[in-house]
């Protein structure tokens, strides 16, 4: 089930998504430990890298992580993108992804992210310059189009391939849709038909069965998982197991408890206690979602002030589930 992006070997067809505010070092370590084949960072700004912004540098720090990890860049200034690409390459990054999908108004107003879908000329200059500036493979993540009247994923994918894209990820939604409605997998199939490089399908993969369906319906090489992994890193390995014909196992309560605590401890190790416990509030809510008493414990977790307090609550929550 392994595949390649150029010379980079990827063990299985499961890819974790670039996720701003989520796919930090702790998330990436957990994704890898749970069997994900290819992992993405949060999106980072080309200008942040060029101007040596400390926060941007932190976002791209892959120290101690198992490869392959792809750093996702966003921006639209060709020159700055080229420079940012070289900076990443010099720091030892082996794979770069270019963001042409972000729907956030702030990003779109700057002509970046999904706005590039509606501006193929600039998209081509930006992506082409990035590819030419580095020796490492560069991939691109696109949407179906910008609006329902501008469905151009196939055209954009072809353009980016001709400029040297080593793989294309297609999220089957327009920018208008943000993350609502259902993803259109047929557009993924159309892109698969149109290009020769590997296509990573993305949108609404919440189960191993959905991953299999997506591959069957579209012919994509790999599937990218975003929201399905929230509080649920087991999904990566479950998809890999299912696709390889192995038995899929469900995590025990002990495993849920230990993983949630490990996630928390990793975030605190990398970001410090104050930021760490604050950032982990939403993640803990995801780990606890669907279990008895989740709402009550979510509030208690949100009010906890120290790492020890949060750990004790998470422990108590999952131990109670196991007892009942
Ligand atoms: C909180 C959040 C942050 C995201 N951040 C990024 C990002 O930094 N770069 C990117 O290309 N897509 C980003 N996305 C989009 C996802 O990578 C993915 O394309 C989308 O969620 C669809 O996949 P899913 O149906 O598996 O969730 C983000 C999505 C969410 C929900």
């Amino acid at each position: 089930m392994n595949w390649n992006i150029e010379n980079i070997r990827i063990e299985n067809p499961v890819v974790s998504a670039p996720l701003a505010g989520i796919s930090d070092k702790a998330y990436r370590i957990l994704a890898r430990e749970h069997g994900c084949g290819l992992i993405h960072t949060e999106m980072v700004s080309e200008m942040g890298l060029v101007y040596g912004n400390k926060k941007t540098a932190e976002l791209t720090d892959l120290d101690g992580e198992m490869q392959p990890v792809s750093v996702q860049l966003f921006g639209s200034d060709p020159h700055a993108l080229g420079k940012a690409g070289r900076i990443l390459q010099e720091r030892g990054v082996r794979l770069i992804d270019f963001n042409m999908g972000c729907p956030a108004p702030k990003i779109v107003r700057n002509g970046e992210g999904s706005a590039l879908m509606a501006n193929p000329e600039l998209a081509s200059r930006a992506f082409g310059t990035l590819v030419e500036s580095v020796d490492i493979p560069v991939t691109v993540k696109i949407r179906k189009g910008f609006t329902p009247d501008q469905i151009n994923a196939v055209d954009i994918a072809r353009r980016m391939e001709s400029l040297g894209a080593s793989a294309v990820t297609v999220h089957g939604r327009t920018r208008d849709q943000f993350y609502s409605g259902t993803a259109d997998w047929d557009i993924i199939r159309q892109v698969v038909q149109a290009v020769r490089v590997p296509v990573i399908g993305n949108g609404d993969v919440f189960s191993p069965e959905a991953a299999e369906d997506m591959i069957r319906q579209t012919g994509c090489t790999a599937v990218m998982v975003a929201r399905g992994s929230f509080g649920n890193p087991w999904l990566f390995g479950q998809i890999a197991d299912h696709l390889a014909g192995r038995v899929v196992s469900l995590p025990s309560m002990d495993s849920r408890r230990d993983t949630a605590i490990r996630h928390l401890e990793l975030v605190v190790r990398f970001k410090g206690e104050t930021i760490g416990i604050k950032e982990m509030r939403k993640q803990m809510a995801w780990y606890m979602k669907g279990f008895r008493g989740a709402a009550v414990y979510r509030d208690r977790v949100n009010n906890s002030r120290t790492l020890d307090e949060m750990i004790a609550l998470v422990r108590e929550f999952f131990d109670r589930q196991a007892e009942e």
Side-chain angles (χ1 to χ4, degrees):
M1 305 255 28
N2 61 70
W3 57 294
N4 276 59
I5 294 179
E6 306 287 350
N7 58 343
I8 297 172
R9 188 185 147 96
I10 300 159
E11 287 301 324
N12 62 45
V14 190
V15 179
S16 72
L19 288 162
I22 313 271
S23 60
D24 58 6
K25 192 187 273 296
Y27 172 98
R28 297 194 299 267
I29 289 173
L30 281 174
R32 172 73 65 213
E33 286 175 356
H34 286 80
C36 187
L38 171 63
I39 292 167
H40 286 82
T41 65
E42 303 172 66
M43 64 179 194
V44 297
S45 126
E46 100 254 86
M47 291 300 181
L49 279 169
V50 169
Y51 290 117
N53 180 293
K54 190 166 159 270
K55 177 96 176 67
T56 311
E58 281 166 16
L59 292 175
T60 62
D61 164 27
L62 307 182
D63 228 32
E65 292 178 50
M66 245 174 88
Q67 296 289 332
V69 178
S70 181
V71 173
Q72 192 189 57
L73 268 180
F74 76 94
S76 63
D77 180 308
H79 182 68
L81 278 166
K83 242 175 146 174
R86 281 194 300 277
I87 292 170
L88 291 177
Q89 180 172 291
E90 277 158 24
R91 289 193 192 151
V93 169
R94 293 188 217 162
L95 185 59
I96 295 174
D97 184 56
F98 183 54
N99 181 321
M100 284 180 46
C102 182
K106 193 172 78 188
I107 302 288
V108 167
R109 267 198 302 276
N110 282 341
E112 300 166 338
S114 61
L116 289 169
M117 297 289 301
N119 190 349
E121 294 305 318
L122 179 58
S124 299
R125 268 192 292 128
F127 188 72
T129 309
L130 173 58
V131 171
E132 279 167 24
S133 304
V134 295
D135 304 316
I136 53 177
V138 184
T139 63
V140 63
K141 181 163 178 278
I142 66 175
R143 279 190 177 237
K144 182 178 172 178
F146 193 69
T147 63
D149 322 323
Q150 294 169 282
I151 307 300
N152 60 351
V154 169
D155 174 53
I156 293 282
R158 280 211 184 103
R159 275 177 186 255
M160 298 307 129
E161 181 183 41
S162 72
L163 292 165
S166 298
V168 181
T169 299
V170 186
H171 176 197
R173 283 187 177 85
T174 58
R175 184 269 170 169
D176 287 41
Q177 288 179 284
F178 284 74
Y179 302 104
S180 69
T182 45
D184 172 10
W185 289 357
D186 195 62
I187 195 76
I188 301 171
R189 186 189 62 77
Q190 292 174 38
V191 172
V192 169
Q193 302 281 315
V195 299
R196 291 164 163 220
V197 292
V199 172
I200 302 168
N202 173 231
D204 299 348
V205 173
F206 291 103
S207 68
E209 292 75 20
E212 185 189 10
D213 288 347
M214 179 188 267
I215 291 174
R216 209 183 31 234
Q217 287 175 32
T218 68
C220 63
T221 303
V223 295
M224 176 183 280
V225 177
R227 290 166 299 169
S229 72
F230 293 178
N232 185 23
W234 298 276
L235 182 58
F236 298 120
Q238 288 169 341
I239 294 174
D241 284 341
H242 182 66
L243 294 176
R246 294 186 293 263
V247 177
V248 172
S249 56
L250 294 174
S252 63
M253 280 304 161
D254 284 2
S255 174
R256 288 183 190 275
R257 176 196 64 207
D258 295 346
T259 302
I261 292 173
R262 175 157 166 72
H263 196 156
L264 170 59
E265 285 175 339
L266 283 171
V267 171
V268 167
R269 187 196 304 167
F270 300 129
K271 298 186 178 172
E273 184 163 354
T274 311
I275 296 176
I277 60 172
K278 211 164 154 193
E279 285 196 4
M280 279 305 286
R281 286 175 186 163
K282 62 176 181 291
Q283 309 257 8
M284 282 308 170
W286 289 329
Y287 277 106
M288 298 190 301
K289 200 173 157 197
F291 294 108
R292 216 165 323 107
V296 173
Y297 273 83
R298 189 182 58 220
D299 287 345
R300 292 179 67 191
V301 162
N302 285 348
N303 288 320
S304 56
R305 288 169 193 279
T306 65
L307 173 63
D308 289 344
E309 201 183 323
M310 206 185 245
I311 289 177
L313 279 167
V314 174
R315 196 176 286 289
E316 186 179 301
F317 176 79
F318 284 107
D319 288 348
R320 279 195 171 189
Q321 307 293 326
E323 278 162 19
E324 283 170 19

